[in-house]
Amino acid sequence: MEAPRLAHTMSSPTSPCEEVIKNLSLEAIQLCDRDGNKSQDSGIAEMEELPVPHNIKISNITCDSFKISWDMNSKSKDRITHYFIDLNKKENKNSNKFKHKDVPTKLVAKAVPLPMTVRGHWFLSPRTEYTVAVQTASKQVDGDYVVSEWSEIIEFCTADYSKVHLTQLLEKAEVIAGRMLKLSVFYRNQHKEYFDYIREHHGNAMQPSVKDNSGSHGSPISGKLEGIFFSCNTEFNTGKPPQDSPYGRYRFEVAAEKLFNPNTNLYFGDFYCMYTAYHYVILVIAPVGSPGDEFCKQRLPQLNIKDNKFLTCDEEDGVMVYHHAQDVILEVIYTDPVDLSLGTVAEITGHQLMSLSTANAKKDPSCKTCNISVGR
């Protein structure tokens, strides 16, 4: 039996699925062959009487699920046994390439009351644009399907990681954080021209800028949170900041208590690696009640500044004492402007190791240490 003629060739499949999953429940939507190669012993017949879905609605979007519903004419509605859903990443030249980018996208589900939940980390990625089209189907006694025409094509974008997902990342990061080492300063490396520009055009104050897209693809701070990046890791043998840096030969150093104290809140932002053995943890320091603090409260897990696995601030004998995790590289984002007069700027003696730069770095989606079981 011939395959149906398909409408909307932009993203609709070019031929039917190879195999239809039997007894499919709402919670177990499965995948068929992306290419839709038809097996020799099955077929799909086209019959105009089945209602064509229209007025498609997408709702309750998360990083790895969404609800879908549509309207249908009542004619032959009682004959519908299954829905065919064609889900595709929207192509664009800047689209991210993931390990699972070639998975099938044809979904087959038993006809259930709408809206229907579509979920699955193996084919949905966070913060990714998709196109979706739907057709109704009626399974025949011989196993063949009668299908409707495809619906219109709808576009939508999945969401960022929620606090629940970030808490899962946080727990994974805590496992490898290692013992705590003392620190006394935060530091930021840049080229000389950067600091000259700050002095001339910003009244000596470094200004927050929007975070780039490095790290986890679903991180809610990427491209949204404004802040200034600082480092705080120290060398094990000296207890001081390393002399090498990928970001420039001039370093601004500021006493830790100037940025991190009981008047600031600390948040966990991300955990990732870049196909390397070492891992990065992004933390956010925000002055209490600041715009950055309000942004983070809604999106990020908050850490106890005195008791966490990454960066602590506590008082001992009237003096503030600071510690950082030894076995992860901490990237600290401070959400307010920082005046250069609070610290010092000097040239470092080490090398500029560009290979260590994390600017727009993509996370390794196959790493079992820093990935969670939702879309990459």
Side-chain angles (χ1 to χ4, degrees):
M1 188 174 295
E2 291 185 353
R5 175 178 58 82
L6 300 177
H8 308 290
T9 57
M10 182 180 80
S11 67
S12 297
T14 57
S15 56
C17 290
E18 180 178 350
E19 181 182 0
V20 175
I21 307 299
K22 297 180 179 179
N23 300 320
L24 197 58
S25 69
L26 174 62
E27 297 298 325
I29 295 176
Q30 298 294 330
L31 305 176
C32 294
D33 189 342
R34 170 193 281 268
D35 297 325
N37 297 320
K38 182 169 67 113
S39 63
Q40 295 299 317
D41 56 352
S42 68
I44 297 181
E46 180 178 11
M47 185 176 291
E48 295 294 342
E49 285 79 1
L50 280 178
V52 179
H54 63 277
N55 194 23
I56 311 295
K57 300 182 185 72
I58 304 293
S59 61
N60 296 82
I61 301 171
T62 73
C63 68
D64 65 345
S65 71
F66 62 92
K67 285 188 176 182
I68 185 170
S69 63
W70 55 82
D71 297 330
M72 291 182 290
N73 296 327
S74 58
K75 183 179 179 181
S76 301
K77 191 174 180 179
D78 58 346
R79 295 179 53 237
I80 298 172
T81 62
H82 290 78
Y83 303 136
F84 290 177
I85 303 175
D86 188 44
L87 182 68
N88 290 282
K89 282 184 181 178
K90 185 179 177 183
E91 294 298 329
N92 63 77
K93 63 182 180 180
N94 296 318
S95 63
N96 291 283
K97 302 302 181 184
F98 297 97
K99 176 184 177 185
H100 303 299
K101 67 183 185 334
D102 293 323
V103 298
T105 56
K106 177 79 73 59
L107 312 178
V108 181
K110 275 189 174 180
V112 295
L114 299 176
M116 177 178 65
T117 298
V118 179
R119 63 165 53 90
H121 69 272
W122 58 93
F123 59 87
L124 281 171
S125 298
R127 199 185 280 200
T128 303
E129 292 185 328
Y130 288 91
T131 61
V132 64
V134 186
Q135 66 180 172
T136 58
S138 176
K139 189 173 184 179
Q140 308 300 291
V141 293
D142 61 359
D144 290 348
Y145 283 81
V146 173
V147 298
S148 72
E149 292 285 346
W150 285 98
S151 71
E152 72 271 27
I153 296 168
I154 299 298
E155 298 179 359
F156 72 98
C157 185
T158 46
D160 298 332
Y161 285 156
S162 67
K163 275 189 179 180
V164 171
H165 299 122
L166 286 172
T167 299
Q168 293 175 20
L169 270 183
L170 165 62
E171 291 169 351
K172 279 181 162 280
E174 289 175 336
V175 172
I176 70 162
R179 69 172 179 154
M180 304 290 279
L181 302 177
K182 278 192 175 182
L183 69 101
S184 59
V185 300
F186 290 103
Y187 54 95
R188 173 175 172 82
N189 276 69
Q190 286 287 342
H191 298 287
K192 181 177 181 298
E193 292 76 12
Y194 168 82
F195 293 108
D196 290 342
Y197 185 85
I198 293 301
R199 295 185 184 99
E200 294 173 14
H201 298 280
H202 290 291
N204 216 45
M206 295 184 291
Q207 300 299 311
S209 59
V210 177
K211 183 194 172 296
D212 65 12
N213 289 314
S214 60
S216 300
H217 189 57
S219 173
I221 63 177
S222 293
K224 296 180 181 179
L225 176 67
E226 293 188 355
I228 304 170
F229 262 110
F230 285 91
S231 299
C232 64
N233 290 80
T234 59
E235 292 182 322
F236 178 77
N237 56 339
T238 66
K240 297 180 179 180
Q243 282 300 306
D244 299 324
S245 170
Y247 300 111
R249 294 191 56 80
Y250 281 77
R251 174 174 292 170
F252 171 72
E253 283 191 11
V254 59
E257 60 265 25
K258 298 288 186 180
L259 302 186
F260 189 33
N261 53 63
N263 295 318
T264 57
N265 284 326
L266 181 67
Y267 298 90
F268 173 83
D270 201 4
F271 177 45
Y272 71 99
C273 71
M274 302 178 296
Y275 303 89
T276 57
Y278 43 89
H279 282 78
Y280 295 83
V281 168
I282 297 180
L283 303 176
V284 182
I285 297 176
V288 174
S290 67
D293 190 34
E294 294 304 314
F295 177 96
C296 293
K297 275 184 181 178
Q298 305 300 320
R299 298 168 177 82
L300 306 181
Q302 186 171 349
L303 303 176
N304 184 331
I305 65 171
K306 296 182 178 181
D307 182 19
N308 66 81
K309 299 290 187 180
F310 311 108
L311 180 66
T312 60
C313 160
D314 204 358
E315 186 175 338
E316 296 180 8
D317 300 324
V319 178
M320 299 305 296
V321 178
Y322 296 85
H323 291 84
H324 71 88
Q326 174 185 358
D327 294 335
V328 292
I329 300 176
L330 296 180
E331 297 181 302
V332 179
I333 301 177
Y334 187 77
T335 62
D336 273 12
V338 176
D339 199 290
L340 294 179
S341 64
L342 293 176
T344 59
V345 177
E347 187 173 5
I348 61 174
T349 59
H351 301 287
Q352 188 170 336
L353 304 176
M354 295 307 295
S355 61
L356 295 179
S357 174
T358 61
N360 289 305
K362 297 306 177 187
K363 180 175 183 175
D364 177 2
S366 64
C367 178
K368 291 182 172 60
T369 300
C370 62
N371 280 294
I372 55 178
S373 58
V374 295
R376 303 294 190 257

